[in-house]
Amino acid sequence: MLAQSVWILTLLCLAVLAPVFGYVISRSTEECDYAEVQRNWYSIRAKWFLFLVVFGVGVTATTLLPYPLPPQFSATDGASPVNVIGQQWYWTIDDTEYDVGETIEFRVTSADSTHGFGIYDESGTLLTQTQAMPKYTNRLVYTFDKPGTYKVLCLEYCGLAHHAMTAQLTVK
């Protein structure tokens, strides 16, 4: 849908610009006072720039609306800290049982290579994720709002047994 909208918008812009180029080409052989032309075109250029800025901000805002930044990426006071270490090819997680509504701060790092720490619900929907990197700890704050069994998968290819790098979290 978005690709089709962009395609139509591109065609409309080309349809508007083609006559402008035609006009400029047809008037290119006429002689006139350059200072007057320059003054007029500076005015047109300033208005065109303002239009492009407003249009660009509008398009950017419209296309980013389906991608809201989830609140779990901000640090929260009172979150329960849980250390997570990614190693080839398993996860070491301090605690894997949580209560519904409990805010957890996952402190994610890696002992060997880069891994992707992703938490999936029972239907296979990715809820949140961050990178697990050697010598660096990413903080991921998340609140589980439903009870169930959640799956932790590695999202970054880390070798032959990457597919087996899983863990489970239980929320009561």
Side-chain angles (χ1 to χ4, degrees), residues 114-150:
T114 301
H115 300 281
F117 178 79
I119 300 175
Y120 291 81
D121 66 9
E122 292 172 337
S123 67
T125 302
L126 178 64
L127 301 175
T128 188
Q129 64 91 26
T130 190
Q131 288 294 115
M133 300 177 287
K135 300 180 184 176
Y136 186 82
T137 301
N138 275 316
R139 294 175 36 184
L140 177 64
V141 178
Y142 190 75
T143 303
F144 292 97
D145 57 357
K146 295 178 187 172
T149 302
Y150 294 81

Side-chain angles (χ1 to χ4, degrees):
M1 178 70 184
L2 182 61
Q4 184 179 8
S5 299
V6 171
W7 176 246
I8 291 170
L9 182 64
T10 302
L11 290 177
L12 288 174
C13 288
L14 285 174
V16 169
L17 285 176
V20 171
F21 280 107
Y23 175 78
V24 169
I25 290 170
S26 69
R27 301 279 313 258
S28 65
T29 58
E30 296 179 14
E31 288 189 30
C32 59
D33 181 28
Y34 180 71
E36 183 182 343
V37 171
Q38 186 178 21
R39 186 175 52 252
N40 289 339
W41 279 104
Y42 276 136
S43 172
I44 292 171
R45 185 167 44 178
K47 291 173 187 167
W48 179 246
F49 177 74
L50 182 61
F51 167 76
L52 288 177
V53 168
V54 170
F55 181 74
V57 168
V59 167
T60 301
T62 302
T63 57
L64 289 180
L65 285 178
Y67 306 106
L69 294 176
Q72 69 262 23
F73 290 108
S74 61
T76 304
D77 292 334
S80 303
V82 174
N83 293 313
V84 178
I85 301 171
Q87 298 174 325
Q88 291 184 330
W89 290 280
Y90 61 95
W91 295 104
T92 302
I93 303 174
D94 284 353
D95 186 17
T96 59
E97 292 188 10
Y98 314 106
D99 296 323
V100 172
E102 181 181 7
T103 301
I104 310 296
E105 179 185 324
F106 294 99
R107 297 174 180 172
V108 184
T109 189
S110 173
D112 45 34
S113 66
T114 301
H115 300 281
F117 178 79
I119 300 175
Y120 291 81
D121 66 9
E122 292 172 337
S123 67
T125 302
L126 178 64
L127 301 175
T128 188
Q129 64 91 26
T130 190
Q131 288 294 115
M133 300 177 287
K135 300 180 184 176
Y136 186 82
T137 301
N138 275 316
R139 294 175 36 184
L140 177 64
V141 178
Y142 190 75
T143 303
F144 292 97
D145 57 357
K146 295 178 187 172
T149 302
Y150 294 81
K151 195 176 235 184
V152 175
L153 299 176
C154 181
L155 302 175
E156 185 81 28
Y157 182 72
C158 56
L160 291 175
H162 164 74
H163 65 282
M165 191 169 173
T166 64
Q168 285 192 347
L169 308 176
T170 305
V171 178
K172 300 182 234 171

